[in-house]
C-alpha cells in the first residue's frame, strides 16, 4: 500500500468539516497510543507513523493560510 502523505495532508488541511480541535484531538490520541505501544516495547505500526505525519502536515498547512 502506497501512502501519499503530501496528497492526503493537503486534502485534509482544506476539509472544512475538520476543525482545529479535531486536529489537536486526533494528534493527542495518536501520541497517547504511540506512548502506550512504546512502553510495552511493541513494534510501532507504520500506519500510525503515516497517520501522525499526515495530521501534522495538514495542521501546519492550515496554519499557513
Amino acid at each position: 500500500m502506497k501512502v501519499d502523505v503530501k496528497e492526503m495532508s493537503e486534502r485534509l488541511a482544506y476539509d472544512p468539516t475538520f476543525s482545529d480541535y479535531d486536529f489537536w484531538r486526533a494528534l493527542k490520541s495518536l501520541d497517547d497510543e504511540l506512548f502506550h505501544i512504546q512502553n510495552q516495547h511493541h513494534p510501532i505500526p507504520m500506519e500510525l507513523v503515516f497517520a501522525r505525519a499526515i495530521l501534522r502536515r495538514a495542521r501546519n498547512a492550515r496554519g499557513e493560510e
Side-chain angles (χ1 to χ4, degrees):
M1 175 176 96
K2 182 178 184 283
V3 176
D4 189 348
V5 173
K6 183 177 185 220
E7 178 188 339
M8 292 179 79
S9 62
E10 286 177 359
R11 199 173 331 149
L12 187 58
Y14 299 109
D15 184 350
T17 63
F18 208 74
S19 71
D20 292 339
Y21 176 77
D22 293 328
F23 280 114
W24 177 83
R25 185 73 247 160
L27 282 168
K28 176 75 171 124
S29 295
L30 270 174
D31 287 341
D32 289 347
E33 181 67 21
L34 289 168
F35 179 78
H36 179 70
I37 291 169
Q38 274 185 311
N39 278 349
Q40 293 186 348
H41 303 291
H42 291 140
I44 296 175
M46 287 304 296
E47 293 84 13
L48 293 181
V49 174
F50 285 127
R52 185 169 57 178
I54 290 165
L55 286 169
R56 284 183 175 169
R57 284 182 66 128
R59 185 184 63 186
N60 289 340
R62 182 177 281 192
E64 293 173 1
E65 291 180 343

